[in-house]
Amino acid sequence: MGRLIYFSKDKNLQILVSFRNSSYDIKSISDFNSLKVHNVNKIKTYNVPLPKNEISSALGNLEQNYPEYLFDEAVIKDQILILTYNLRKPKNVKEKPTKVINLDLKKYKD
């Protein structure tokens, strides 16, 4: 499954979001250039591409080892899963160096 970013508590739409080809045991095969959206109810998996090397760069910028720690708590609004992740340390209090991924959950129901 990979490093978990989000899991749904909704019994009607059991969705998991994780990094593709990543594990806690073998860092050398980690691929942080896409996410996998798993529909547990339908036993289907969807790939969501991310900007190449952006997560790896953010890990270095924030001195993190695990990409799931880059992400803020997920929000669902109007059937949209909103995942926000940090790109680097802010230079000042007002700056928010983050990126947002919006996943339309309706797309992953079928």
Side-chain angles (χ1 to χ4, degrees), residues 89-97:
K89 292 178 184 175
K91 293 179 181 173
N92 58 55
V93 177
K94 293 182 180 181
E95 185 184 35
K96 287 275 201 177

Side-chain angles (χ1 to χ4, degrees), residues 10 17-18 29 31 33 37 40-43 51 59 68 70 73-74 80 82 91 101-102 107 110:
D10 182 348
V17 179
S18 66
I29 64 165
D31 176 1
N33 293 319
V37 178
V40 177
N41 294 337
K42 301 286 184 181
I43 310 173
L59 286 170
E68 59 271 31
L70 299 176
E73 188 169 336
I80 304 291
I82 303 167
K91 293 179 181 173
I101 301 169
N102 293 309
K107 180 178 177 180
D110 297 329

Side-chain angles (χ1 to χ4, degrees), residues 60-95:
N61 292 338
L62 292 164
E63 299 173 355
Q64 284 287 345
N65 290 321
Y66 303 108
E68 59 271 31
Y69 294 137
L70 299 176
F71 286 78
D72 294 338
E73 188 169 336
V75 175
I76 296 179
K77 185 174 182 180
D78 298 325
Q79 295 283 321
I80 304 291
L81 175 62
I82 303 167
L83 300 170
T84 303
Y85 60 96
N86 297 292
L87 296 170
R88 58 184 166 74
K89 292 178 184 175
K91 293 179 181 173
N92 58 55
V93 177
K94 293 182 180 181
E95 185 184 35

